[in-house]
């Protein structure tokens, strides 16, 4: 099974995913961003883009990587990754379904003011123009398709441990 943790940049996906992994037996974290980093390291580089998700190989490579890891290890893969383009989500989720891999899709959500504050005051990354630039695309995806496709966990007034507990409890409950 895959526990996909989606949401805008700065909402706490990475932190929450690590905590979910600790709460679920036989779980591992696979960050799909690492697949994008492999593509970014190709020399000479792939066509210029502002987001590696636009590269056509990224989506099937995410599916294939997850499939192969699950085939090798079994258990649960917790995958933190922002996917805001519905067509890209369909490619990934349909690809996983074609391999009979169940996906529990969660979206970590917080109001815009909270997210802006978290990005501005991030103690590790600091303020990030890239992260700020993804706030409106996230809001649009949330309004049009994303929240209907996932189990939404509002993190506006809870910490990552509480968010992880909610996700882990939902996964255990089936």
């Amino acid at each position: 099974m895959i526990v996909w943790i989606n949401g805008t940049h700065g909402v706490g996906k990475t932190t929450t995913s690590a905590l979910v992994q600790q709460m679920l037996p036989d779980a591992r974290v696979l960050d799909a961003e690492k697949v994008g980093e492999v593509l970014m390291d190709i020399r000479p580089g792939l066509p210029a883009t502002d987001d590696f998700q636009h590269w056509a190989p990224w989506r099937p490579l995410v599916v294939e990587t997850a499939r192969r890891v699950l085939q090798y290890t079994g258990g649960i893969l917790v995958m933190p990754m922002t996917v805001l383009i519905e067509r890209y989500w369909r490619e990934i989720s349909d690809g996983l379904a074609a391999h009979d891999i169940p996906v529990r899709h969660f979206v970590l959500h917080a109001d815009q003011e909270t997210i802006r504050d978290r990005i501005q005051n991030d103690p590790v990354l600091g303020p990030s123009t890239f992260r700020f630039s993804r706030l409106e695309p996230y809001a649009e995806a949330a309004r049009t398709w994303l929240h209907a496709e996932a189990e939404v966990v509002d993190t506006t007034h809870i910490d990552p441990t509480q968010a992880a507990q909610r996700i882990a409890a939902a996964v255990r409950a089936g």
Side-chain angles (χ1 to χ4, degrees):
M1 167 189 285
I2 291 175
V3 175
W4 194 285
I5 301 181
N6 205 339
T8 194
H9 297 270
V11 76
K13 294 179 305 296
T14 301
T15 302
T16 301
S17 293
L19 293 166
V20 168
Q21 181 272 322
Q22 295 170 15
M23 295 175 189
L24 295 174
D26 298 322
R28 291 174 172 75
V29 175
L30 171 61
D31 189 341
E33 187 165 332
K34 300 301 182 191
V35 175
E37 290 174 7
V38 167
L39 295 174
M40 288 189 294
D41 284 344
I42 292 173
R43 298 292 176 253
L46 298 176
T49 182
D50 66 340
D51 188 336
F52 58 73
Q53 290 187 20
H54 299 317
W55 287 325
W58 180 76
R59 285 132 8 232
L61 285 172
V62 167
V63 171
E64 188 63 15
T65 302
R67 181 183 79 80
R68 294 288 181 150
V69 170
L70 282 173
Q71 184 179 40
Y72 183 64
T73 64
I76 296 171
L77 284 182
V78 180
M79 297 183 67
M81 189 70 214
T82 301
V83 178
L84 301 180
I85 297 173
E86 185 176 11
R87 180 172 59 88
Y88 295 176
W89 175 250
R90 295 271 175 254
E91 286 181 49
I92 292 167
S93 59
D94 291 350
L96 294 167
H99 294 291
D100 297 321
I101 300 170
V103 177
R104 289 292 295 270
H105 185 194
F106 294 89
V107 171
L108 299 183
H109 174 80
D111 64 50
Q112 288 281 318
E113 181 181 329
T114 299
I115 290 296
R116 287 185 180 284
D117 183 64
R118 288 179 187 170
I119 293 171
Q120 184 65 37
N121 298 301
D122 188 307
V124 176
L125 298 176
S128 164
T129 303
F130 177 82
R131 293 165 101 192
F132 282 125
S133 76
R134 297 306 191 242
L135 293 179
E136 185 49 43
Y138 167 75
E140 177 65 19
R143 279 191 300 273
T144 57
W145 72 273
L146 183 59
H147 283 196
E149 289 288 320
E151 300 170 63
V152 178
V153 178
D154 191 329
T155 67
T156 303
H157 301 292
I158 64 173
D159 65 26
T161 299
Q162 293 167 308
Q165 288 168 337
R166 289 181 187 183
I167 292 167
V171 170
R172 284 193 296 269

